[in-house]
Amino acid sequence: MPTTFADALRDARSRRRLSQLDLALKAGTTQRHVSFMERGRSLPGRGMVVRVAEALGLPLRERNALLLTAGYAPVYPETRLDDPALTPVLESLRALLAGHEPYPALVVNRYGDLVAANDGFDLLTEGVAAELLEPPINVLRLALHPRGMAPRIQNFADWAQHVLERPRRGLAHGPDPRHQALLDELTGYLPSPGEPSGDHLGFAVPLQLSSSAGELRLLTAITQFATAVDVTVAELSLETFLPADASTAELLKARPSR
């Protein structure tokens, strides 16, 4: 992992396939200045580091890391989930979860660890081994583990690709031992090297799930706090499951509420 600002900047720009000119235009500076920063010939001010990080579209965690390599304190706080300051955020998320019933919905962190879920979540965990439901519950493992949801997923190969996209996206931002370990573990649950079938389009892949309510087809939508300035909040994802057809909608609406 890059330890100097020059190396970190060059690495982040290269991973996003931006030229020095592209970055300069986005950050409101010159290509010469970007070149000097990447060669260590110019030490940018804190404001320039923030502008460059924003221009690169770095996640807040990476922006803090870039500031540290330049010798500046992190700008964006990382508040613990149990901190009272985040109570309004968590209450809002729980209200969204409840409002989505009878359809399943959950909130996870950047590694797929469960933060909260609504009553519809139990539809996804039917028949799952007890050890997979011991906190902290990782919903990625829950989905692909052979003692998890996997035996009930009819389009397992395609759905697995959707699940693997989370750690892959995490690694696209830079090296991360936990994302790598998750990707290695999850890939090991696939019966093949994990290549998608001809039906896998990379978007809007339905979850075809056998359940006590019947055969379900569910689409997922992921929502994040786009204006978050706290690392923890920015890394939370609300994942909602929506009926992909009228039959699924009717089956879920007919389920008795808890």
Side-chain angles (χ1 to χ4, degrees), residues 128-138 141-142 145 147-148:
V128 168
E131 64 266 22
L132 296 177
L133 297 177
E134 289 291 331
I137 300 171
N138 185 275
R141 181 179 295 113
L142 192 71
H145 196 284
R147 298 186 65 193

Side-chain angles (χ1 to χ4, degrees), residues 33-256:
H33 192 193
V34 171
S35 175
F36 276 25
M37 288 190 290
E38 289 192 354
R39 287 187 286 164
R41 294 183 59 186
S42 175
L43 184 61
R46 183 177 173 215
M48 176 55 71
V49 177
V50 172
R51 279 165 52 195
V52 166
E54 289 176 348
L56 287 167
L58 300 183
L60 300 189
R61 185 178 296 276
E62 275 197 69
R63 297 185 193 189
N64 279 344
L66 191 64
L67 282 160
L68 284 169
T69 63
Y72 301 109
V75 170
Y76 306 98
E78 184 175 357
T79 309
R80 288 174 54 91
L81 279 172
D82 57 4
D83 191 303
L86 290 192
T87 298
V89 173
L90 295 177
E91 287 181 346
S92 297
L93 287 171
R94 291 189 182 102
L96 289 171
L97 291 173
H100 191 68
E101 293 173 355
Y103 310 138
L106 52 134
V107 177
V108 297
N109 66 12
R110 66 180 176 137
Y111 294 114
D113 294 329
L114 185 69
V115 174
N118 67 4
D119 289 345
F121 182 64
D122 65 359
L123 191 68
L124 306 181
T125 60
E126 290 179 346
V128 168
E131 64 266 22
L132 296 177
L133 297 177
E134 289 291 331
I137 300 171
N138 185 275
V139 299
L140 309 183
R141 181 179 295 113
L142 192 71
L144 301 189
H145 196 284
R147 298 186 65 193
M149 294 170 58
R152 296 190 295 123
I153 299 176
Q154 302 306 310
N155 59 333
F156 180 77
D158 286 343
W159 182 253
Q161 294 304 314
H162 164 73
V163 175
L164 292 176
E165 282 168 12
R166 185 181 296 272
R168 284 171 178 162
R169 284 197 304 269
L171 288 170
H173 291 308
D176 184 310
R178 188 171 176 200
H179 270 136
Q180 187 62 61
L182 260 176
L183 182 60
D184 292 343
E185 176 191 349
L186 298 175
T187 303
Y189 296 142
L190 273 63
S192 66
E195 291 298 322
S197 72
D199 295 329
H200 180 75
L201 302 178
F203 64 93
V205 179
L207 170 61
Q208 299 175 21
L209 184 70
S210 298
S211 76
S212 59
E215 296 297 316
L216 306 176
R217 288 175 52 85
L218 299 163
L219 296 175
T220 61
I222 297 175
T223 305
Q224 293 181 298
F225 288 91
T227 58
V229 291
D230 183 279
V231 175
T232 301
V233 176
E235 292 178 346
L236 292 178
S237 297
L238 169 66
E239 185 159 356
T240 53
F241 291 78
L242 303 161
D245 52 38
S247 173
T248 298
E250 291 173 4
L251 289 172
L252 292 177
K253 289 176 181 176
R255 289 187 77 216

